[in-house]
Amino acid sequence: GLIELVVRADIETLLTPGETPVESEEAMAEAIATNVSRRLIDERQVNPAYYDKMSEVLLSLVEERRQGAIDYKNFLEAVKELAEEFVASGKPNLSGYPDAIDTVGKQALWDNFEQDAEWVTKVVDAVERSKTSGWVDAPIPQPQRAVLRAIYEAVGDAHDPQAVLEIVMAQHEFK
C-alpha cells in the first residue's frame, strides 16, 4: 500500500513526478495522511495511548502543511519517519522502557495504565496463569471472566480491570 511505498522509497523518489501513484504534491500529501490516519485508527485498540500520540503528531503535521509552515519535502520526511515508526510498531521498541517491558503487550500495558514494571509483570503473570486455549474468542464468557478475575486479584482495581482486560485481549502475545 501507500504507507509501505512511503517507508521503502527515499524522499527524492517521492518528490519525483510520475514516481508515485498520485501526480500533485497536495493530492499525494492528502493521500498519505489519509492512509496513515486510517491505519492508526485500525490499530488503536492494540495500544490506545501510543496510537493516540501518533495521531496527534500526524494531525499537527497536516495542520502545519495546510498553514504553509512546512514545505512538501519536510512534510514527506516527517510523515515517512512517522510511517516507519508505525510499520515497526508490531515489534517491541525497547528504547524508553525498563528491561522488564520487553514485548509489545507489556508496552501497551505500560503506556495505557501504570508505568510500573512490577504492576505490568503482575498483570502478565495473572493472564498467563489463568488463560485457556482460545480464551479471547471463546463463544462463552467464562474464560474471559477467569482472566478478568485473575487480573483483579493480582493488581486490584486502581485501574479498571475491564479496561486492562480489553488491552490484554488485543495483544497477539496473550491469545
Side-chain angles (χ1 to χ4, degrees):
L2 188 57
I3 294 173
E4 287 73 20
L5 171 68
V6 170
V7 170
R8 283 193 317 266
D10 60 37
I11 293 297
E12 294 310 315
T13 300
L14 295 173
L15 291 170
T16 306
E19 292 294 318
T20 61
V22 181
E23 291 301 318
S24 78
E25 289 181 357
E26 288 308 314
M28 184 63 172
E30 187 67 32
I32 291 170
T34 299
N35 277 268
V36 172
S37 179
R38 187 176 313 123
R39 289 274 297 268
L40 292 172
I41 291 166
D42 290 346
E43 296 294 326
R44 185 180 182 280
Q45 69 176 353
V46 174
N47 188 340
Y50 174 79
Y51 288 104
D52 287 351
K53 189 177 354 170
M54 291 184 76
S55 291
E56 288 174 20
V57 170
L58 178 63
L59 288 173
S60 174
L61 288 170
V62 168
E63 188 59 31
E64 287 178 31
R65 174 76 179 134
R66 284 190 183 134
Q67 293 178 357
I70 59 173
D71 64 9
Y72 181 61
K73 182 178 181 179
N74 288 328
F75 174 79
L76 277 180
E77 289 171 346
V79 171
K80 179 178 174 70
E81 187 177 309
L82 185 67
E84 287 170 345
E85 185 176 335
F86 176 80
V87 169
S89 67
K91 303 169 194 79
N93 172 6
L94 302 179
S95 65
Y97 292 96
D99 292 341
I101 309 302
D102 58 357
T103 68
V104 172
K106 290 176 183 177
Q107 290 173 357
L109 290 167
W110 175 274
D111 290 343
N112 288 281
F113 297 105
E114 188 143 341
Q115 295 188 346
D116 175 355
E118 185 179 338
W119 183 90
V120 171
T121 300
K122 286 179 182 180
V123 170
V124 170
D125 290 346
V127 171
E128 294 297 334
R129 277 193 324 272
S130 60
K131 73 178 185 174
T132 57
S133 178
W135 74 279
V136 171
D137 299 317
I140 55 174
Q142 284 81 1
Q144 293 172 9
R145 284 188 195 143
V147 174
L148 179 64
R149 186 173 31 262
I151 290 170
Y152 175 75
E153 290 171 358
V155 295
D157 63 0
H159 299 286
D160 178 14
Q162 183 64 42
V164 175
L165 178 67
E166 288 171 14
I167 294 293
V168 167
M169 289 174 62
Q171 310 306 313
H172 293 291
E173 71 191 73
F174 298 126
K175 292 186 177 183

